[in-house]
Each structure stands twice: as C-alpha cells, then as structure tokens.
Amino acid sequence: MAEIGKDILKAKAFLEKDELVAIPTETVYGLAANALNPIAVAKIFEAKERPTFDPLIVHTHSLHEVYKFVTNIHPALLKLAEAFWPGPLTLLLPKKEIIPSLVTSGLDRVGVRVPNHSLTLDLLSQLNFPLAAPSANPFGYISPTTAMHVEKQLGTKIPYILDGGSCEVGLESTIVGEENGEIIIYRLGGLSVDEIETIVGKVSVQLNQSSNPKSPGQLKSHYAPKKPVYIGNLNESQKQYSDQKIGAIVFGIDIKLSESILIKNLSSTKNYQEASANLFSFLRELDEADVDVIISEFLPETGLGLAINDRLRRASAL
Ligand code: TXA
Ligand code: MG
C-alpha cells in the first residue's frame, strides 16, 4: 500500500532519493521520477510494465525552465506555450543532452509540459530537477483521475501518492509538435483542436501511426478496460447484447435504455468538459461493476468531443 497524502515535502524527499511518487495534474495522475536520472526513470518503466520504446513527458513549473531542456522552441509552438501553459498541452521540442535518451526512447525530441495543478506546481518549483511522468496506470489500461485509482493499480509499487483530488480535465494532454514548418497534433486531448487553431491557424492531425507509432498514445488499443467495449447506436447495441449484463456510457438524457442496463451519464446537460472529466472514472466503474459488456455511442465531433471519441475508439479496439 502506498501512503496517500498532501505532503509536498514528503513527495520531494522520495523524489530526491530517486523513488517514484504519483502526482496529481489537471489531466490525469502521473507516475513521477527525476527526469534527469536514468536510474530513477527506469523505475517508471518497471512499475508500469511499459515498453521502453514509449517515451515519457517531462513536467516542469514554467516556460522559463523549459529552455534548460530544449535547444529551441519554434515560434508557433512558443505562442501555444504562452497561451496554454500551465495547461493540458504537451510540446515535442528538440532536446538537449541533459535529457537522458531513456526519457525520449532515443528520439531527438522531448515531450514537455507545465501542468495546471497547484500542488504539483508547488512541488516542481521546490525541486531542482524536472519530473518525467507518464499516466499512473499499468501500460494500456485506463488513466487514473483520482488518488484511489492509482492506489488500486500501483499501490504496492510506489511509496507515496500526492493527493490532489479528482482531475478537472480528465483527458490526457494534447500533444503538439512541428515538422518542416507544419504544426501537427499527435494526440488529441484536454486542449481542443479549435483552441489551438485560434492561436496558430490550421494544424494537421496525425493520429494512429500504425505499428511503429511516434507516440504510443496513438496505439490502436490503449486506455482500455478489461471488458469488451462496443461503440455504436445504443438502441441497436442493447438489442444485440440483450443476453448479457450491459453497462452503458451515455451523453445527455435523451436516450431511453432498458431498465436492466447500468447507465453512466457523462453529462446530463451535454457539457463536454464535464463529460471529459467523467469518462475514465466511468469506464473504470463499469469495468469493476457486475456487467459483461460496456456499450457507448460517439459524441458529436466538436470541441472535446473529438478527444472523447478518440478514447472511446481506443477503449473499444480489441
Ligand atoms: O496529460 C498527460 O499528458 C499525462 C500527465 C501525467 O501529464 N501524461 C501522459 O503520459 O499521458 P503518457 O506517458 O501516458 O502518454 C504520453 C504520450 C505517450 O504516448 C508518448 O509516446 C508521447 O506522449 N510522447 C512523450 N514523449 C514523446 C516524444 N519525445 N516523442 C513522441 N511522443 C512522445
Ligand atoms: Mg498513458
């Protein structure tokens, strides 16, 4: 069992001893270690059972700090950093030597982000190194949005979980980089494409890089519960799986489903932010509930609906 608390000094002490600490962010909980020390970073891969071809995001407390770790920031990406940090935005930037290649899986770019959570920003500003932190879940499973989610899955493997409550955004950060002057989104996330385009104009979205992804958040099956997830028309799905116990994730209250179905409503007012914040918790709850299958339907492809649909698609990929 990990200790769960709000003690920044305790978290700091563990991290300074190259131990792992789970940290809250506005997106999901991270599993953090000293990003500048490969021995500490290796512990992350071990605890998560994560393949080392999957690079880690480096977290720091300010844009100013980022210059210690990267050789330059493309002007358009700099505008994004200024507009959205601290926030759910990760930038892929050309790394300096000081970032161990284990962190980037040997790639030339490092993913960097300033998370928007007061406890973690406090912690980061008291440390003299940045924190490498993937989502604090076993590889491939749903990302954690509460301290208890982390405890249930990684509690035996880490000494301390810094408890910052429920994550407000609930979807991982949007990952953005630049190639040959073009701004590219590699992973949809808590910052919408529209918000990004208001700052830098039209961007291209490159998800699913097949078998050798530049970003394993792009793997077809990821963020997945253990139970089968079927996405499609809810009325048809409830008929198709009527011989099994069904859990349903719905959006809004205009859907009538059989009373035998365990229903989780992402947002009765169809608020996308509320839906994002609920999605991973609901997938977990249904995974743990007495149901055999999980059914859901895509949301309208607008704003955060795009990222929610991306996670639903991956959760359903078998
Ligand atoms: O919101 C988030 O981004 C959360 C919180 C904890 O910050 N972190 C997170 O990390 O989702 P993780 O490791 O679960 O997913 C990060 C994604 C991975 O798919 C990884 O491959 C990609 O970011 N990534 C990280 N560094 C990269 C790099 N140098 N080049 C390409 N992709 C990179
Ligand atoms: Mg992850």
Side-chain angles (χ1 to χ4, degrees):
M1 292 269 282
E3 187 182 342
I4 302 180
K6 295 178 190 299
D7 189 341
I8 291 177
L9 291 179
K10 203 169 237 180
K12 179 171 183 264
F14 280 120
L15 291 163
E16 284 172 345
K17 282 188 291 182
D18 296 329
E19 298 288 337
L20 303 181
V21 171
I23 55 166
T25 82
E26 80 284 28
T27 60
V28 300
Y29 274 72
L31 182 62
N34 178 351
L36 305 184
N37 182 338
I39 291 166
V41 172
K43 292 181 184 174
I44 296 176
F45 288 96
E46 206 180 323
K48 264 192 76 117
E49 296 174 35
R50 176 174 172 123
T52 50
F53 64 71
D54 191 359
L56 305 176
I57 294 172
V58 171
H59 298 70
T60 186
H61 60 87
S62 71
L63 173 57
H64 184 73
E65 283 290 298
V66 170
Y67 287 97
K68 294 182 182 166
F69 316 122
V70 308
T71 54
N72 69 77
I73 305 182
H74 184 277
L77 299 183
L78 182 59
K79 277 192 195 165
L80 290 176
E82 285 167 346
F84 299 118
W85 276 349
L89 167 74
T90 292
L91 295 178
L92 298 186
L93 301 168
K95 82 174 194 75
K96 280 187 179 162
E97 276 297 303
I98 186 172
I99 298 291
S101 58
L102 181 58
V103 169
T104 61
S105 306
L107 298 169
D108 297 336
R109 292 188 295 185
V110 59
V112 191
R113 133 173 155 85
V114 179
N116 188 15
H117 193 292
S118 56
L119 216 50
T120 291
L121 284 173
D122 248 6
L123 172 65
L124 286 166
S125 58
Q126 290 186 40
L127 291 168
N128 58 10
F129 48 81
L131 292 174
S135 51
N137 50 284
F139 186 68
Y141 196 68
I142 308 161
S143 299
T145 53
T146 68
M148 270 321 287
H149 291 165
V150 181
E151 164 61 24
K152 275 193 188 156
Q153 292 189 306
L154 295 175
T156 58
K157 298 184 174 176
I158 58 177
Y160 198 67
I161 300 170
L162 191 60
D163 186 356
S166 295
C167 300
E168 278 182 8
V169 173
L171 295 175
E172 298 86 348
S173 59
T174 303
I175 301 180
V176 185
E178 172 268 334
E179 289 178 45
N180 304 316
E182 190 182 18
I183 302 304
I184 301 170
I185 295 182
Y186 300 96
R187 178 175 73 178
L188 297 169
L191 184 66
S192 72
V193 178
D194 302 342
E195 286 173 285
I196 289 170
E197 290 187 335
T198 58
I199 304 294
V200 294
K202 198 80 194 136
V203 300
S204 84
V205 179
Q206 292 182 11
L207 313 174
N208 265 335
Q209 301 278 324
S210 70
S211 59
N212 184 19
K214 285 185 192 162
S215 188
Q218 298 171 329
L219 287 175
K220 201 167 159 236
S221 172
H222 210 73
Y223 316 109
K226 299 194 178 75
K227 292 187 180 150
V229 178
Y230 300 106
I231 315 291
N233 181 280
L234 285 168
N235 272 320
E236 280 166 27
S237 297
Q238 71 170 338
K239 281 183 215 141
Q240 191 170 348
Y241 303 106
S242 58
D243 57 336
Q244 303 184 58
K245 290 182 195 158
I246 302 177
I249 293 187
V250 308
F251 182 59
I253 47 170
D254 40 2
I255 304 148
K256 290 279 167 282
L257 292 176
S258 155
E259 288 193 351
S260 63
I261 295 179
L262 179 54
I263 298 172
K264 299 275 169 196
N265 193 341
L266 290 173
S267 168
S268 50
T269 58
K270 296 203 175 184
N271 177 305
Y272 287 86
Q273 231 144 6
E274 186 186 4
S276 302
N278 283 330
L279 178 67
F280 286 153
S281 274
F282 286 0
L283 280 170
R284 266 172 199 269
E285 284 170 33
L286 290 180
D287 213 17
E288 288 165 9
D290 182 23
V291 302
D292 305 314
V293 299
I294 301 169
I295 62 172
S296 190
E297 207 165 49
F298 286 127
L299 277 60
E301 291 265 309
T302 171
L304 289 175
L306 290 167
I308 294 172
N309 288 346
D310 172 84
R311 300 303 188 271
L312 284 174
R313 203 172 286 122
R314 290 175 211 276
S316 71
L318 297 175

